[in-house]
Amino acid sequence: MNTTAHAHPDWTERAAALRIDGRCVIDGQRLPSASGQTFSCLSPINGRSLGEVARGAQADVDAAVASARTAFNDGRWAGKPPAVRKRLLMRFADKILAAREELALLETLDMGKPIQYSLAVDVPSTARCIAWYAEAVDKIYGEVAPTGAHALALITREPMGVIGAIVPWNYPMIMAAWKLGPALAAGNSVVLKPSEKSPLTALRLADLAVEAGIPPGVFNVVPGYGAEAGEALALHMDVDAIGFTGSTRTGRRMLDYAGRSNLKRVYNELGGKSAFVVFDDFADVERAAKTVAGAMFFNQGESCNAPSRVLVHDSIADDFVAIVAAQAAHHQPADPLQMATEMGALVDDTQLKTVMGYIEAGQAEGARLLAGGQRVMNDSGGYYVQPTVFDGVSNGMKIAREEIFGPVMGIIRFKTEAEAVQLANNSSYGLQASVWSDNINRAHRVARALRAGTVHVNQYDEDDITVPFGGYKQSGNGRDKSLHAFDKYSELKTTWIRIDAA
Ligand code: NAD
């Protein structure tokens, strides 16, 4: 790709010229929904329609699952040597990178994040995830159990079969890739149901997989509403596992669907209310404050691991809070199609109302609004909210208990280490947490005490496909990313072989 020639495309012009194909991808083909029904795909940037998308429902899910099952049973994918699956998945990853600009534009138009981040984060991370699992799959060995001379016990991994992947809208491609990478590399077939709020990149990923030579039926996409396509997939009797990422509310339903159908495995990656704990023995208050603002307001605050509960020691809180409030100015929302934009639009009108409702609740409960709090850019027709900081929050307030999923941070002051740990862990969520301290003993002690799937020490930015991602408590079960994700999409088989004495 000639990057020089495309160094500064006019994204607004490109967006105007874009024509989308919103049909399902089933058995390697683009198909309208069986009912012929569609829904309008609205852009949060300006509220206008990007085009019509197939409104998938039971019949489309049935067709996609049947195609995935046939592809699985006839061995066109599962039966290929791992090195062959690797080669095709690497080609898929290359195609994703080659389509970087198109995919980035679709992602930004569909869910409102700044184009600079769709280009620099979402597309490369998606490709890297697929490539990483591709590279891993021919390096994983089975085991021989230490059972004695009379027998041989082999422990091997087998693909599960048909995986239903149901994903949210905040990182549409990356969330899909976290399921697709390990599920496809392990030899499964997949039916992906993207969010109705952001279906476009998932459909293009399936086209690219077909172009890369991944056999038809191995990766299908059925767009549609949660209560229609999502429910049909999660209740399906021929789906072996659901890889779900979304809200805790919908995660509960996933467990119920499994119980009411075939007891399929359910892996839930759910919400968060992550605590960011800053002690008075951390010298660089400015770095901690800038880090929390960057992490909180990235992706418009629509990140499951956003550090939305900020616990600060009383003695440094005034300095810390002043820096955080000033930082909010660097994250003001602007047109997501401009390369300099740091913060884009919230995903839709519903999310805007939810976020504004929490800002009102914070004020009503007596928290002190330090920055933001307003909807802006109303003339654009899109959904933009200022980065918002509340001081004087108590852990019992609604804005400290519930996931807001928007650019709203609450600052809670504490006096002792025991109090900080108690407050941090007093949440129904346990996705991530962080501790900031220059005292090595305290840093380790608190990192151990925090009940979260990931704990950051003196930073919040590190992230890599090599490390597991997932939550304690009502933030979910199972882990995305790393080799541990293979556990979700493979069955462990024990084979006993008798060895007779001579
Ligand atoms: P959501 O639960 O509303 O929707 C997620 C997906 O489930 C969508 O595809 C939706 O169509 C589908 N769905 C909704 N209702 C359904 C139903 N009744 N039956 C079947 N499917 C249904 O969540 P969202 O608003 O799209 O995403 C935001 C949530 O995702 C936040 O809570 C966030 O924390 C979470 N999230 C978690 C992680 C993680 O790794 N833990 C990562 C990203 C987002």
Side-chain angles (χ1 to χ4, degrees), residues 156-489:
T156 50
R157 287 197 174 273
E158 295 182 350
M160 260 178 192
V162 175
I163 308 297
I166 301 180
V167 297
W169 46 263
N170 61 334
Y171 294 93
M173 261 186 299
I174 296 177
M175 292 303 107
W178 287 5
K179 316 295 182 203
L180 289 170
L184 292 177
N188 299 282
S189 301
V190 175
V191 177
L192 170 65
K193 208 298 281 174
S195 169
E196 57 275 31
K197 301 183 186 190
S198 62
L200 300 180
T201 46
L203 293 165
R204 287 295 294 137
L205 286 181
D207 292 336
L208 296 172
V210 172
E211 282 174 30
I214 293 174
V218 171
F219 171 24
N220 308 274
V221 180
V222 180
Y225 294 111
E228 296 174 4
E231 180 167 317
L233 187 59
L235 274 174
H236 207 289
M237 292 300 287
D238 206 20
V239 169
D240 297 290
I242 289 284
F244 175 73
T245 300
S247 63
T248 296
R249 182 178 23 98
T250 312
R252 272 181 222 288
R253 287 180 186 258
M254 293 296 147
L255 295 168
D256 179 48
Y257 294 141
R260 281 161 53 200
S261 57
N262 59 346
L263 288 180
K264 56 179 70 65
R265 277 85 171 135
V266 173
Y267 306 110
N268 274 331
E269 299 286 343
L270 310 175
K273 196 75 197 174
S274 300
F276 187 103
V277 186
V278 190
F279 287 97
D280 54 346
D281 58 17
F282 186 73
D284 195 348
V285 174
E286 184 174 350
R287 185 163 74 80
K290 286 184 170 171
T291 302
V292 79
M296 181 63 236
F297 301 130
F298 186 72
N299 214 44
Q300 302 71 245
E302 297 165 328
S303 297
C304 52
N305 60 342
S308 52
R309 279 190 310 143
V310 183
L311 277 51
V312 189
H313 190 273
D314 216 19
S315 67
I316 55 166
D318 288 341
D319 290 348
F320 182 91
V321 158
I323 301 167
V324 170
Q327 279 299 305
H330 298 296
H331 296 274
Q332 291 304 316
D335 178 2
L337 291 175
Q338 298 302 317
M339 277 302 274
T341 296
E342 282 288 328
M343 194 200 262
L346 297 184
V347 73
D348 65 4
D349 192 31
T350 309
Q351 193 64 15
L352 174 89
K353 289 190 179 118
T354 302
V355 171
M356 294 311 294
Y358 277 110
I359 292 172
E360 278 167 30
Q363 288 172 298
E365 284 192 287
R368 195 155 58 88
L369 185 65
L370 282 188
Q374 299 295 320
R375 179 182 182 183
V376 289
M377 296 170 64
N378 297 15
D379 293 348
S380 65
Y383 314 111
Y384 301 86
V385 172
Q386 292 173 323
T388 299
V389 181
F390 279 109
D391 193 6
V393 174
S394 77
N395 205 42
M397 288 181 185
K398 190 175 159 81
I399 56 168
R401 308 302 303 162
E402 298 178 17
E403 185 183 41
I404 299 174
F405 224 52
V408 184
M409 177 199 296
I411 294 175
I412 301 172
R413 298 173 182 228
F414 68 85
K415 289 199 167 64
T416 65
E417 180 181 313
E419 183 191 5
V421 169
Q422 189 276 333
L423 287 168
N425 286 340
N426 185 351
S427 170
S428 58
Y429 294 111
L431 190 57
Q432 298 205 344
S434 85
V435 47
W436 295 69
S437 170
D438 286 334
N439 175 335
I440 191 169
N441 291 306
R442 171 174 275 164
H444 279 287
R445 203 165 51 229
V446 175
R448 283 189 182 182
L450 292 172
R451 304 284 300 155
T454 299
V455 177
H456 302 268
V457 178
N458 298 344
Q459 63 83 37
Y460 209 82
D461 308 320
E462 292 294 336
D463 186 29
D464 198 64
I465 190 67
T466 55
V467 297
F469 189 106
Y472 284 19
K473 299 191 267 183
Q474 292 181 39
S475 289
N477 65 310
R479 293 292 180 267
D480 276 338
K481 303 169 68 188
S482 81
L483 293 181
H484 292 282
F486 278 123
D487 294 345
K488 294 162 57 166
Y489 305 115

Side-chain angles (χ1 to χ4, degrees), residues 5-30:
H6 296 286
H8 297 291
D10 184 327
W11 295 104
T12 308
E13 249 173 45
R14 286 205 187 182
L18 195 73
R19 295 290 167 270
I20 68 162
D21 184 347
R23 292 175 298 168
C24 311
V25 181
I26 298 175
D27 211 29
Q29 312 261 333
R30 283 292 202 148

